[in-house]
Amino acid sequence: MIVLDGDGLVLYLNRTAQEVTGYAQSGLTGHPFDSIVLPEERDRIPAVLYGVLNQAVPSPFDLRVSTTSGEVLNLSVVASSALAEHGCVVLTFRDVSEARLLEQELGRNRDFLERLINSTVDAIIAADLTGQVILFNQGACRLYGYEPGEVVQSRRVEELYPDGGAAAVMRDLRASPNGR
């Protein structure tokens, strides 16, 4: 937690904030908070201060800061008006750097898999456990003549089979390798 005055100067930081940022109480108190914020994000701080002090508390937001060692952290910040009547803003935060990196990696993997699935000539269709179609690639579009928007989340997979076809496929999938 960090407490700022209305001009964005640091009044107080708790032990956890000191550990996360690497700054000691005496090293940051009296200095502008935005001095540890990455330059491209500094213009966000005055808007947060103004909002909190004028009873318009912003939604939680991510903010990248630099530690004393030069490491860049991505902090999830919540601004509070608990001390607004005294002209102060309380920022509580947690380090979400690793989570944001994982989200980016998952996004890249998802994009790669989507491109791979859509570039294959084979029809690929997936359904959830209730039979609702959740994936319908370009190969399936060519085979069935539907666009993904006409099928995904609006049709059940058994509608794509001839009568009794879906049941036969499920029966075959559940059969043991030796036919028993």
Side-chain angles (χ1 to χ4, degrees):
M1 170 184 70
I2 292 180
V3 179
L4 308 176
D5 71 8
D7 295 322
L9 298 178
V10 176
L11 299 176
Y12 170 79
L13 61 155
N14 68 4
R15 187 168 18 100
T16 302
Q18 293 175 52
E19 291 169 3
V20 169
T21 64
Y23 287 91
Q25 176 80 24
S26 60
L28 203 51
T29 301
H31 296 338
F33 173 66
D34 68 5
S35 65
I36 68 169
V37 175
L38 294 191
E40 61 269 20
E41 297 191 14
R42 287 183 182 151
D43 61 342
R44 299 172 75 189
I45 303 305
V48 169
L49 295 173
Y50 179 83
V52 171
L53 295 174
N54 289 288
Q55 308 307 320
V57 178
S59 299
F61 59 97
D62 281 6
L63 189 67
R64 292 180 305 149
V65 301
S66 181
T67 66
T68 54
S69 66
E71 179 184 6
V72 174
L73 300 179
N74 196 341
L75 304 179
S76 178
V77 180
V78 176
S80 169
S81 61
L83 297 174
E85 66 187 57
H86 301 288
C88 300
V89 175
V90 178
L91 301 179
T92 57
F93 57 85
R94 61 188 174 93
D95 181 3
V96 293
S97 302
E98 189 173 328
R100 296 303 183 256
L101 287 173
L102 289 173
E103 288 170 3
Q104 289 175 353
E105 183 63 28
L106 286 172
R108 284 191 294 271
N109 287 341
R110 183 195 65 238
D111 293 344
F112 170 76
L113 290 173
E114 285 177 2
R115 286 191 308 273
L116 181 65
I117 288 168
N118 275 318
S119 67
T120 184
V121 296
D122 296 326
I124 300 176
I125 301 167
D128 64 16
L129 293 174
T130 68
Q132 190 73 39
V133 175
I134 58 172
L135 180 112
F136 196 83
N137 78 339
Q138 292 302 311
C141 292
R142 286 187 294 279
L143 181 65
Y144 287 97
Y146 298 120
E147 288 300 315
E150 297 175 88
V151 180
V152 174
Q153 299 298 331
S154 62
R155 289 190 184 243
R156 298 182 51 77
V157 73
E158 61 261 14
E159 295 174 39
L160 301 173
Y161 289 93
D163 287 340
V169 168
M170 290 308 296
R171 189 174 46 252
D172 291 345
L173 287 173
R174 290 183 180 123
S176 66
N178 58 8
R180 294 186 202 132

